[in-house]
Amino acid sequence: DTAVSQTPKYLVTQMGNDKSIKCEQNLGHDTMYWYKQDSKKFLKIMFSYNNKELIINETVPNRFSPKSPDKAHLNLHINSLELGDSAVYFCASSPSRAPYEQYFGPGTRLTVT
Amino acid sequence: GEDVEQSLFLSVREGDSSVINCTYTDSSSTYLYWYKQEPGAGLQLLTYIFSNMDMKQDQRLTVLLNKKDKHLSLRIADTQTGDSAIYFCAETAPGAGSYQLTFGKGTKLSVIP
């Protein structure tokens, strides 16, 4: 019954490594998102995908790349991890009709050492 | 530009009402949302309000919107210890395929037994 799921829940890795976070939604939504939450709990959108097309791309480093194999999945791949990438990453999805409410996954806590 | 402001902390006694305030700057906002985040969890959508409404009530939650002052509030009646969490206000102004949410920095509600 999980609406938006993410794996893994925790990810500890060393600087310079490449890692991926997976996200799946079973809500039949058209749009999916990735947000970054920093240590002060501030949420910032990173990417969104609508029908497999990138429609928002905030000023994130190009080391971050979203990949959407189908409408139900939006994975986040990160190259050459840096200490500043440590954060909690949330996936979300929403329908393309009002009220455009977004449903969030449980988050992936990434720690770069 | 878009900006959403919230006070960072609020402390109330169990059984009292809590009022969490939010101001936003984007006059084109069409929907405003309240999310709840418990420790270690994702964001849970509590409620939303369309910008042409003044008030919305849902059980213990009451949302008030003053569009002239761009002020949004969330009132929680009979606050319980389980209401302790961070509450985020968010706005969206969908258009041209964009459904970006802009979040406030969150208000940490502490309920004193």
Side-chain angles (χ1 to χ4, degrees), chain B residues 24-88:
Chain B
Y24 61 99
T25 57
D26 189 348
S27 59
S28 65
S29 293
T30 54
Y31 284 94
L32 296 127
Y33 310 83
W34 284 103
Y35 283 86
K36 175 184 180 183
Q37 185 178 30
E38 297 183 33
L43 276 75
Q44 173 194 354
L45 176 66
L46 287 177
T47 187
Y48 62 88
I49 189 167
F50 187 48
S51 59
N52 69 352
M53 297 170 64
D54 298 323
M55 185 183 86
K56 181 178 181 182
Q57 187 158 3
D58 184 0
Q59 298 182 333
R60 291 191 298 123
L61 304 179
T62 303
V63 178
L64 295 177
L65 175 61
N66 181 329
K67 195 172 182 182
K68 175 176 167 289
D69 295 335
K70 298 189 180 70
H71 183 264
L72 182 73
S73 67
L74 174 70
R75 177 178 180 270
I76 306 173
D78 187 24
T79 311
Q80 302 297 306
T81 54
D83 295 325
S84 294
I86 299 175
Y87 290 81
F88 292 93

Side-chain angles (χ1 to χ4, degrees), chain B residues 80-102:
Chain B
Q80 302 297 306
T81 54
D83 295 325
S84 294
I86 299 175
Y87 290 81
F88 292 93
C89 165
E91 63 172 352
T92 192
S98 167
Y99 307 97
Q100 180 177 355
L101 277 181
T102 300

Side-chain angles (χ1 to χ4, degrees), chain A residues 38 71 74 113:
Chain A
D38 63 23
K71 200 169 79 165
L74 183 65
T113 61

Side-chain angles (χ1 to χ4, degrees), chain A residues 7-105:
Chain A
T7 54
K9 188 167 174 63
Y10 300 97
L11 184 54
V12 181
T13 188
Q14 292 183 327
M15 284 175 57
N17 285 347
D18 301 339
K19 291 293 178 185
S20 291
I21 305 172
K22 295 186 176 181
C23 177
E24 176 180 2
Q25 56 96 4
N26 63 6
L27 298 168
H29 287 165
D30 297 319
T31 309
M32 296 182 70
Y33 312 79
W34 278 105
Y35 288 86
K36 179 181 180 180
Q37 187 174 45
D38 63 23
S39 58
K40 295 183 179 179
K41 304 296 185 184
F42 186 53
L43 277 156
K44 183 85 174 173
I45 186 156
M46 300 177 71
F47 302 104
S48 67
Y49 258 72
N50 185 330
N51 292 325
K52 301 179 74 171
E53 289 185 49
L54 180 66
I55 58 172
I56 299 173
N57 188 347
E58 291 292 315
T59 54
V60 299
N62 58 13
R63 298 180 294 104
F64 291 79
S65 55
K67 301 232 187 299
S68 181
D70 56 56
K71 200 169 79 165
H73 296 84
L74 183 65
N75 303 324
L76 182 65
H77 190 74
I78 315 168
N79 290 327
S80 303
L81 278 154
E82 300 177 358
L83 291 176
D85 297 332
S86 295
V88 181
Y89 292 84
F90 287 101
C91 176
S93 71
S94 73
S96 299
R97 49 100 185 107
Y100 312 103
E101 72 278 19
Q102 293 188 19
Y103 294 89
F104 283 74

